[in-house]
Amino acid sequence: MDKNKKLVWSVILVAVLCLSVLLFRFNFLKTQVDGKEVAKNSSGKIKVELFYNGPCESCKENEKFDKTIRENILKLNPDVDITCIAYNVFKEQDKEYTDKRIKTLNISELDAKVPFALMEGKIYGGSYEEIGSQLGRVISEQISQELDDDIDKDNEINKDTSEDISKDASEDISKDASEDISKDTSEDINKDTSEDINKDISEDINKDTSEDINKDTNEDTSKDKDVRSMIENADPSDSILLLFTTYSCDSCAQVKNFIQNNVKTEYIMKKEQGNTVSKVKLIECNILDSGNLELLNALMKQYEVPGDKQQVPLVFYQNGFLSGEAAIKDNLVKVIENGSAMGFSRTALEPSGGKDKIGGKDLLRLGATGLLNGLNPCAASMLLMVLSLLLMSGRDFIKGSLSYMAGKILAYLVMGMGAFFVFSVIKEVYFTRIEQILTLCFAMLALVLSILNFIDFWNARKKNYGRIIVQLPKKLRHFNHTVINKLGNIPRTFLLPVLFMLGVVISAGEFFCTGQLYAASILYMVNEKQEMTFIVFWMLLIYVLAMCIPQGIIIFIINKSRNLLAVSRFTLQGMPAVKLIYGFLFLLLFILLLFF
């Protein structure tokens, strides 16, 4: 008993240490996501989050945005220390963060039109100049307010000697500040008006010029001909290149010029069967044209384009992609010559069902996890008691067993849907902070259960079954045994419905033993951005059915052999292996929840 207590205390100590690590990680995550609440910190730094849409590689929108904001803030507040953090919503990761940020701050999507900035939880929109001017004035007002507060404090301490001086100084400061602000504001308005006019003229010229160029080269663009049909009609030997560009992009223009001057219309591919002539078909897709941005996002997801490569110009071909002017110029000809661009995968070009599709790998993972969860000794022990009573009573063994299993399936399915709904609501309403706390709690639980299962493995291997830790609570086991023992008094007419309800009741109790892995798997599904759809129902059903396979095998063996004792002995002998599997399974779940 003393050894068992030492083991338990060891587990608690390890759990406390791991909890400290987890809390540190949570604080780090909180600082990254929620802690970016932009404000002036103790060192006097001003932090501003900048959100913009910058698909163009050569445009350097982040640098332009950053420079403009700094200039406008420092013009009114030369002594402040500014930290600007820029997020490009064109990139998937930054887009996800932006969505989380505006949702956390309860900002409507209509107000959060890029470009915009966030400071102290407030949004500032408009052009770069307008945003910078707004921020500059707000910071200036804050500084003035702080100065006024300091003056008020000094006045209270030295009321008799400094009241008149403070008043005159305050008036002079206010007057000078007002004149400076008015002057700066006037200059800003004139500057903004001039820049807006020049910007509009420049955009119109660029747009008209681009449209004229497009008109002349419409044979190779997606504007006048559907991209999908062009690829469908292409020969399998053709080398197909999908080039994504945008207007007013120097890198895009350079790449198009390079392709025109350096890429031939045909290449001879040497193969064992003989030489093959491959025609190069370049399909340019401007992301500002209808449907092309969605196509680009689908291709970037399919080709797993890293965040720092999500930009234009971007070329996709059969076996990969090239991002940026330098990569395209250095490698495009080689890609065509070695045959990597022949043909094109049509998966990303087909209409996507998003999260309403489930792949073979998903089914395999669900089935495997459910199957491993079904090996839990808690479920097997209750099932063996029910089967023993059915055997001794001489009643319909198969129908009774299936009725009991049907109740279990329904119960686990309903509990799974309920857990999924709860986790989804938490993710939707309370968002990042509660979601992180919940994920860390389950990760912590998974780690503790992993350690306890390894301890149970050791005890089971030594046949110290009385020291098994991870099992149903004693009172719950007693309740289940009492309910199951009453089956002998149930009339034959009501036996099947009672067995069905018994399956539901027993499953609710078993959830304390088997539900940890089930609930953690559901939380992982929610974190993977699954939504409450009919597909989720099927995913949970697959999981639950796989979880019932081991119990189904037990029913089949006992029905054939009528030897319950042998099966019971086998399950007992297999307990060490099951505990070891569960130890590694919960350890894997801990890693997945915490780091993926």
Side-chain angles (χ1 to χ4, degrees):
M1 188 66 183
D2 291 337
K3 288 184 178 179
N4 202 30
K5 282 185 178 179
K6 287 180 181 179
L7 285 173
V8 172
W9 279 109
S10 299
V11 171
I12 293 172
L13 179 62
V14 172
V16 170
L17 291 173
C18 292
L19 182 59
S20 302
V21 174
L22 291 175
L23 288 174
F24 173 79
R25 177 173 172 79
F26 170 69
N27 185 57
F28 174 74
L29 289 172
K30 181 182 173 185
T31 302
Q32 277 193 318
V33 180
D34 293 314
K36 283 182 180 175
E37 193 66 44
V38 182
K40 187 167 71 172
N41 58 27
S42 58
S43 62
K45 288 184 179 180
I46 300 293
K47 290 187 179 180
V48 183
E49 288 178 301
L50 310 176
F51 300 86
Y52 68 99
N53 186 13
C56 173
E57 174 194 28
S58 57
C59 295
K60 308 295 182 184
E61 289 298 320
N62 60 322
E63 295 178 6
K64 294 178 185 176
F65 201 176
D66 187 286
K67 182 181 178 182
T68 305
I69 296 299
R70 288 178 183 277
E71 286 177 351
N72 279 274
I73 292 176
L74 293 174
K75 185 164 55 177
L76 295 176
N77 312 279
D79 297 327
V80 300
D81 187 0
I82 311 164
T83 299
C84 292
I85 308 169
Y87 298 94
N88 184 359
V89 298
F90 183 77
K91 298 181 178 181
E92 185 179 3
Q93 186 175 1
D94 286 1
K95 178 69 168 62
E96 289 179 0
Y97 173 79
T98 305
D99 292 341
K100 285 184 178 181
R101 199 78 176 89
I102 63 175
K103 201 161 191 176
T104 304
L105 297 173
N106 294 319
I107 298 171
S108 70
E109 293 183 3
L110 292 174
D111 294 332
K113 289 185 177 180
V114 290
F116 67 89
L118 290 176
M119 185 177 73
E120 294 183 339
K122 294 181 180 179
I123 188 169
Y124 302 86
S127 67
Y128 294 170
E129 286 286 343
E130 290 169 344
I131 295 169
S133 297
Q134 292 175 60
L135 291 171
R137 285 193 292 270
V138 168
I139 293 169
S140 181
E141 290 171 2
Q142 289 178 347
I143 293 173
S144 296
Q145 184 63 45
E146 289 174 2
L147 287 173
D148 290 341
D149 292 341
D150 291 339
I151 291 171
D152 290 339
K153 287 179 182 177
D154 291 338
N155 285 340
E156 290 176 3
I157 297 172
N158 307 297
K159 188 174 181 181
D160 296 333
T161 59
S162 64
E163 185 174 358
D164 294 336
I165 297 172
S166 297
K167 184 177 180 183
D168 294 338
S170 177
E171 287 176 356
D172 291 339
I173 292 169
S174 299
K175 186 176 179 181
D176 293 340
S178 175
E179 287 176 357
D180 290 340
I181 292 170
S182 299
K183 185 178 178 182
D184 291 335
T185 304
S186 176
E187 288 176 358
D188 289 340
I189 291 169
N190 292 330
K191 187 176 179 183
D192 291 345
T193 305
S194 174
E195 288 183 355
D196 288 342
I197 292 169
N198 291 331
K199 187 178 177 184
D200 292 338
I201 293 170
S202 175
E203 286 178 353
D204 289 339
I205 292 169
N206 288 332
K207 188 175 180 183
D208 292 339
T209 305
S210 298
E211 286 175 355
D212 290 339
I213 293 169
N214 262 348
K215 233 174 235 179
D216 295 335
T217 59
N218 60 11
E219 290 181 2
D220 289 332
T221 62
S222 63
K223 187 173 181 181
D224 297 323
K225 193 169 183 180
D226 183 72
V227 176
R228 293 176 177 83
S229 63
M230 291 176 73
I231 293 178
E232 289 290 340
N233 296 328
D235 191 272
S237 63
D238 291 342
S239 294
I240 299 173
L241 306 173
L242 257 64
L243 171 63
F244 286 88
T245 61
T246 188
Y247 298 124
S248 305
C249 172
D250 291 338
S251 293
C252 299
Q254 290 293 331
V255 165
K256 286 191 283 186
N257 185 55
F258 169 82
I259 292 174
Q260 186 178 356
N261 296 327
N262 295 274
V263 177
K264 297 184 290 187
T265 56
E266 292 182 356
Y267 285 82
I268 297 175
M269 306 295 175
K270 294 181 181 180
K271 293 188 175 183
E272 294 180 359
Q273 298 85 356
N275 294 342
T276 301
V277 176
S278 178
K279 295 181 179 180
V280 177
K281 291 196 174 181
L282 175 66
I283 304 172
E284 183 187 344
C285 305
N286 193 302
I287 60 172
L288 297 182
D289 290 340
S290 177
N292 286 342
L293 183 58
E294 291 78 6
L295 177 60
L296 174 60
N297 289 330
L299 285 167
M300 287 195 296
K301 185 169 290 187
Q302 180 182 335
Y303 281 80
E304 298 180 351
V305 179
D308 59 336
K309 302 293 184 184
Q310 293 178 9
Q311 60 188 2
V312 293
L314 186 58
V315 173
F316 290 98
Y317 55 92
Q318 172 65 21
N319 294 334
F321 65 91
L322 297 171
S323 174
E325 180 184 348
I328 294 172
K329 286 182 176 181
D330 292 343
N331 300 291
L332 185 59
V333 175
K334 298 175 186 176
V335 165
I336 299 171
E337 288 178 341
N338 64 29
S340 297
M342 288 178 64
F344 198 86
S345 173
R346 295 167 173 79
T347 305
L349 302 177
E350 296 171 357
S352 174
K355 297 297 177 183
D356 292 332
K357 290 187 176 181
I358 179 170
K361 289 183 179 179
D362 296 322
L363 291 174
L364 187 61
R365 281 197 295 265
L366 280 171
T369 310
L371 184 64
L372 290 171
N373 201 8
L375 296 174
N376 199 304
C378 299
S381 62
M382 294 298 106
L383 175 66
L384 289 173
M385 282 197 66
V386 173
L387 297 183
S388 65
L389 286 173
L390 286 174
L391 281 177
M392 287 187 293
S393 64
R395 302 183 184 187
D396 197 326
F397 183 81
I398 290 295
K399 286 184 180 180
S401 303
L402 293 179
S403 181
Y404 174 77
M405 292 303 298
K408 293 193 68 172
I409 291 171
L410 178 65
Y412 271 103
L413 200 54
V414 170
M415 287 187 289
M417 294 294 285
F420 191 95
F421 176 76
V422 170
F423 293 156
S424 298
V425 168
I426 290 173
K427 184 181 178 71
E428 184 70 23
V429 177
Y430 298 101
F431 215 66
T432 309
R433 189 173 300 178
I434 299 298
E435 180 192 353
Q436 287 176 353
I437 293 173
L438 193 61
T439 302
L440 291 174
C441 286
F442 270 100
M444 184 66 196
L445 179 62
L447 180 61
V448 171
L449 288 171
S450 174
I451 296 170
L452 293 178
N453 272 284
F454 284 132
I455 294 172
D456 283 351
F457 160 72
W458 180 260
N459 287 328
R461 192 164 175 265
K462 296 293 184 179
K463 296 184 179 181
N464 295 325
Y465 300 114
R467 293 185 175 180
I468 298 298
I469 302 170
V470 183
Q471 57 180 328
L472 287 176
K474 188 173 181 181
K475 289 184 178 180
L476 187 56
R477 291 202 308 272
H478 177 72
F479 171 78
N480 288 342
H481 293 167
T482 303
V483 172
I484 293 172
N485 286 329
K486 291 180 179 179
L487 282 178
N489 303 324
I490 303 297
R492 184 180 294 271
T493 308
F494 302 106
L495 182 62
L496 295 182
V498 169
L499 282 169
F500 179 85
M501 291 305 300
L502 180 65
V504 173
V505 173
I506 296 295
S507 297
E510 283 178 5
F511 201 78
F512 288 97
C513 194
T514 60
Q516 302 99 339
L517 184 58
Y518 188 32
S521 301
I522 293 169
L523 179 63
Y524 188 71
M525 287 168 59
V526 173
N527 287 343
E528 286 292 292
K529 300 178 187 176
Q530 292 290 345
E531 297 175 359
M532 182 68 83
T533 62
F534 193 62
I535 291 296
V536 171
F537 171 81
W538 283 109
M539 292 173 73
L540 293 174
L541 182 61
I542 290 167
Y543 185 99
V544 173
L545 290 175
M547 191 168 62
C548 292
I549 288 176
Q551 296 175 58
I553 293 172
I554 290 175
I555 293 171
F556 176 78
I557 292 173
I558 293 176
N559 182 56
K560 289 293 183 182
S561 64
R562 298 287 167 168
N563 191 341
L564 185 67
L565 187 61
V567 175
S568 179
R569 191 182 300 114
F570 175 78
T571 56
L572 199 62
Q573 290 173 349
M575 185 181 291
V578 171
K579 290 293 183 180
L580 186 63
I581 291 172
Y582 264 64
F584 282 112
L585 190 61
F586 278 112
L587 184 62
L588 176 62
L589 189 61
F590 165 75
I591 295 170
L592 287 174
L593 287 172
L594 197 61
F595 300 105
F596 292 93

